């Protein structure tokens, strides 16, 4: 039996970051990972490989459609197997990096399935069936999430695929139906659209990207439609038949009406994710979970059993890697007697379509629902000098500020490199900054970030270049 200060189950972004921070603070730490490689869903079959394919497919589309305008004559040819290999090389570099960091910080890593047998004991079962018990002062559950399934639709990862299978398609499908209009479906759908597939997105709600600022969601849909994606909103899939040469989907309007049939080569099921908490033994030791499987924790991330903590996708809040990282650091610092803290009002989110969509803070809909009076400043990329010469003029920046105090309550960007640009808004909001603070900050010219300054100026109706 090995004794530790902290044992973490799962080495995704939350788990491995928690382990490294705890080790930095002098704890003896062990991690348990059921995969052969570290990094969890994010690095292995999620964030990282999808961004590799997004980057590669965007480069392919740019070479095919945009290079000529810049005086570059090329005729690109798709080598899908090499593109998939490019993706895999990127994944390997990242997961190898995590392994190096764990070793560098003297974190002991155990490969196998973790099962909590007591408040201070984790049993690890290897793939070969061997078991060993790790005794520990504290346990952190960081097991992440898994693909949500649609009742009656069996995912075979061949013709009916999850996000994992959509990263490994051996050929470009002629037609693909994406079930779900959230960020996962839109990102992966746009990858295969750029490579030549006809994409139809079926979404039960009457809008895509639920939770996104409504104005941005509508603008994004218009852009994606111009890129060739077709949307069937307010519709649900009631039947999928894969017995024939093509997959046939029966869809019905959620508000009532006639059903229709869609035929395709591949169906991507992208209706969200659910906490991965089964087989941990939580019920046996008294750890409470919500009805959807999420672990109940207090403000210090402690479960209903003292000494057992949970972070990331298994607890409430957005299922985002960077949210899990911040929680992992907070838990490690709390355990070391420091003041770990996460500001949930300032967690950015990004949809990595082309253009990107990035948000931090409240949406207009949330402010209206809360009865908060606010001011709006908007500035379009078409009025930005760098965007004009780069021909990336789609989209705009929106700044929402408190009507009385001018404090920035939310920033929403749709445009090229929005995921990078949102960072300055997050820093401003973390320190309680105002739209005036943002407007008075000198921004380098010519940069896309000048649109953020101009949107802040527009809050007070004094934008310069519009």
């Amino acid at each position: 039996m090995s004794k530790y200060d902290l044992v973490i189950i799962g080495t995704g972004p939350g788990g491995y970051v928690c382990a490294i921070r705890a080790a930095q603070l002098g704890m003896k730490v062990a991690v348990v990972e059921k995969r052969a490689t570290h990094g969890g869903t994010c690095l292995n079959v999620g964030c990282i490989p999808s961004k590799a394919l997004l980057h590669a497919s965007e480069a392919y589309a740019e070479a095919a459609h945009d290079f000529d305008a810049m005086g570059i004559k090329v005729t690109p040819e798709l080598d899908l197997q090499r593109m998939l290999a490019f993706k895999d090389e990127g994944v390997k570099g990242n997961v190898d990096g995590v392994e190096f960091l764990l070793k560098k910080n003297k974190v002991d890593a155990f490969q196998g399935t973790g099962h909590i047998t007591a408040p201070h004991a984790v049993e690890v079962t290897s793939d070969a069936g061997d078991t060993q018990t790790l005794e520990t002062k504290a346990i952190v559950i960081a097991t992440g999430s898994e693909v949500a399934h649609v009742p009656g639709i069996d995912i075979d990862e061949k013709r009916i695929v999850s996000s994992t299978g959509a990263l490994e398609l051996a050929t470009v499908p002629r037609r693909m139906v994406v079930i779900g209009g959230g960020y996962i479906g839109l990102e992966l759908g746009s990858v295969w659209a750029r490579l030549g597939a006809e994409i139809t997105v079926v979404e039960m709600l009457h809008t895509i990207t639920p939770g996104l600022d409504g104005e941005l969601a509508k603008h994004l849909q218009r852009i994606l439609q111009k890129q060739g994606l077709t949307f069937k909103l307010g519709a649900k899939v009631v039947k999928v038949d894969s017995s024939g040469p093509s997959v046939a989907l029966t869809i019905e309007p959620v508000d009532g009406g006639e059903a229709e049939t869609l035929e395709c080569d591949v169906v991507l099921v992208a209706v969200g994710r659910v906490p991965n908490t089964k087989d941990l033994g939580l019920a046996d030791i008294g750890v409470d979970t919500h009805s959807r499987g999420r672990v109940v924790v207090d403000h210090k991330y402690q479960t209903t059993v003292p000494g057992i903590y949970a972070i990331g996708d298994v607890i409430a809040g957005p299922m985002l890697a960077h949210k899990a990282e911040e929680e992992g650091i907070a838990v490690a610092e709390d355990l070391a007697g420091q003041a770990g803290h996460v500001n949930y009002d300032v967690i950015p989110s990004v949809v990595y379509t082309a253009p990107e969509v990035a948000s931090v803070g409240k949406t207009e809909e949330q402010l209206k629902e809360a009865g908060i009076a606010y001011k709006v400043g908007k500035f379009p990329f078409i009025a930005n000098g760098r965007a004009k010469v780069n021909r990336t003029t789609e989209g705009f920046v929106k700044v929402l500020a408190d009507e009385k105090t001018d404090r920035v309550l939310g920033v929403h960007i749709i445009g090229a490199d929005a995921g990078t640009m949102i960072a300055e808004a997050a820093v401003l909001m973390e320190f309680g900054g105002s739209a005036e603070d943002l407007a008075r900050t000198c921004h380098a010219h010519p940069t896309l970030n000048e649109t953020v300054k101009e949107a802040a100026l527009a809050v007070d109706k004094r934008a310069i270049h519009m």
Side-chain angles (χ1 to χ4, degrees):
M1 182 177 288
S2 302
K3 295 185 178 181
Y4 292 93
D5 295 311
L6 176 63
V7 170
I8 302 164
I9 306 175
T11 59
Y16 84 74
V17 168
C18 181
I20 291 170
R21 185 66 183 124
Q24 288 176 342
L25 293 167
M27 295 181 218
K28 184 180 180 183
V29 183
V31 293
V32 179
E33 175 55 57
K34 66 181 181 181
R35 294 178 188 271
T37 55
H38 299 296
T41 294
C42 180
L43 271 65
N44 286 276
V45 292
C47 321
I48 295 301
S50 64
K51 301 313 165 283
L53 289 185
L54 283 161
H55 175 67
S57 63
E58 286 168 20
Y60 174 76
E62 188 176 14
H65 305 295
D66 301 327
F67 275 13
D68 187 64
M70 293 184 279
I72 305 170
K73 298 286 188 180
V74 296
T75 304
E77 180 181 344
L78 176 63
D79 183 344
L80 182 57
Q81 296 311 307
R82 184 68 195 96
M83 187 178 286
L84 295 176
F86 164 80
K87 178 243 328 172
D88 293 340
E89 289 162 8
V91 169
K92 186 178 187 306
N94 276 275
V95 299
D96 287 352
V98 173
E99 182 179 10
F100 167 78
L101 290 171
L102 292 174
K103 288 179 179 177
K104 174 187 174 184
N105 287 278
K106 297 180 173 57
V107 174
D108 291 341
F110 295 86
Q111 197 278 321
T113 302
H115 183 86
I116 305 172
T117 56
H120 299 285
V122 175
E123 183 181 80
V124 182
T125 304
S126 71
D127 293 341
D130 301 322
T131 62
Q132 58 183 313
T133 298
L134 311 179
E135 185 180 331
T136 179
K137 296 177 183 177
I139 298 168
V140 170
I141 301 166
T143 46
S145 60
E146 58 188 8
V147 171
H149 290 255
V150 178
I153 301 178
D154 296 325
I155 296 174
D156 60 16
E157 300 297 12
K158 294 177 182 177
R159 293 204 293 169
I160 303 175
V161 302
S162 68
S163 55
T164 301
L167 296 167
E168 299 288 347
L169 297 179
T171 59
V172 178
R174 189 167 66 86
R175 296 167 300 177
M176 173 186 281
V177 172
V178 178
I179 304 176
Y183 72 94
I184 295 175
L186 296 181
E187 289 179 10
L188 291 174
S190 67
V191 165
W192 294 106
R194 281 190 285 271
L195 299 181
E198 297 176 10
I199 304 295
T200 301
V201 179
V202 180
E203 167 59 51
M204 287 186 65
L205 300 178
H206 293 280
T207 180
I208 61 171
T209 55
L212 196 68
D213 184 273
E215 186 178 9
L216 267 74
K218 291 177 183 177
H219 198 80
L220 175 61
Q221 184 180 339
R222 288 196 294 269
I223 291 172
L224 294 177
Q225 284 172 330
K226 286 195 293 183
Q227 294 176 5
L229 278 71
T230 299
F231 291 89
K232 293 188 177 295
L233 305 181
K236 60 182 178 180
V237 178
V238 296
K239 182 181 179 182
V240 176
D241 183 0
S242 59
S243 61
S246 61
V247 183
L249 296 88
T250 304
I251 66 171
E252 294 178 353
V254 294
D255 298 327
E258 293 186 7
E260 65 174 304
T261 300
L262 298 177
E263 292 195 354
C264 63
D265 306 297
V266 173
V267 176
L268 166 57
V269 180
V271 293
R273 301 184 64 83
V274 293
N276 188 10
T277 54
K278 61 181 183 295
D279 302 326
L280 287 171
L282 302 185
D284 295 337
I285 59 172
V287 173
D288 288 348
T289 58
H290 293 292
S291 58
R292 293 188 176 183
R294 283 185 161 175
V295 180
V296 177
V297 294
D298 63 16
H299 69 289
K300 293 294 184 181
Y301 308 102
Q302 183 166 253
T303 69
T304 48
V305 175
I308 300 179
Y309 302 80
I311 61 172
D313 287 4
V314 299
I315 68 171
M319 289 182 167
L320 297 170
H322 44 282
K323 176 254 197 188
E325 290 182 8
E326 295 302 316
E327 291 171 343
I329 290 173
V331 167
E333 292 180 345
D334 282 336
L335 289 173
Q338 298 186 5
H341 172 70
V342 178
N343 182 0
Y344 289 99
D345 289 329
V346 188
I347 295 181
S349 62
V350 184
V351 184
Y352 294 92
T353 47
E356 294 178 349
V357 184
S359 296
V360 63
K362 302 297 184 183
T363 65
E364 285 204 64
E365 291 77 13
Q366 290 170 331
L367 293 175
K368 288 174 182 176
E369 185 178 350
I372 299 173
Y374 64 94
K375 301 176 289 183
V376 182
K378 290 196 295 185
F379 191 83
F381 279 95
I382 198 169
N384 173 265
R386 185 64 181 273
K388 281 182 179 178
V389 298
N390 287 1
R391 296 198 175 192
T392 55
T393 55
E394 290 273 19
F396 58 90
V397 178
K398 177 196 286 190
V399 174
L400 307 175
D402 189 282
E403 190 174 74
K404 294 181 179 178
T405 67
D406 196 43
R407 182 173 179 169
V408 174
L409 304 174
V411 176
H412 308 277
I413 307 173
I414 178 167
D417 213 20
T420 301
M421 292 172 60
I422 201 67
E424 72 164 306
V427 172
L428 178 94
M429 291 174 63
E430 185 65 37
F431 289 91
S434 66
E436 182 71 9
D437 292 328
L438 196 52
R440 292 283 180 185
T441 301
C442 184
H443 286 62
H445 174 78
T447 61
L448 298 178
N449 289 71
E450 289 175 282
T451 56
V452 178
K453 175 185 175 76
E454 291 274 11
L457 285 165
V459 169
D460 196 37
K461 297 180 173 57
R462 64 181 204 270
I464 301 299
H465 292 93
M466 184 174 65

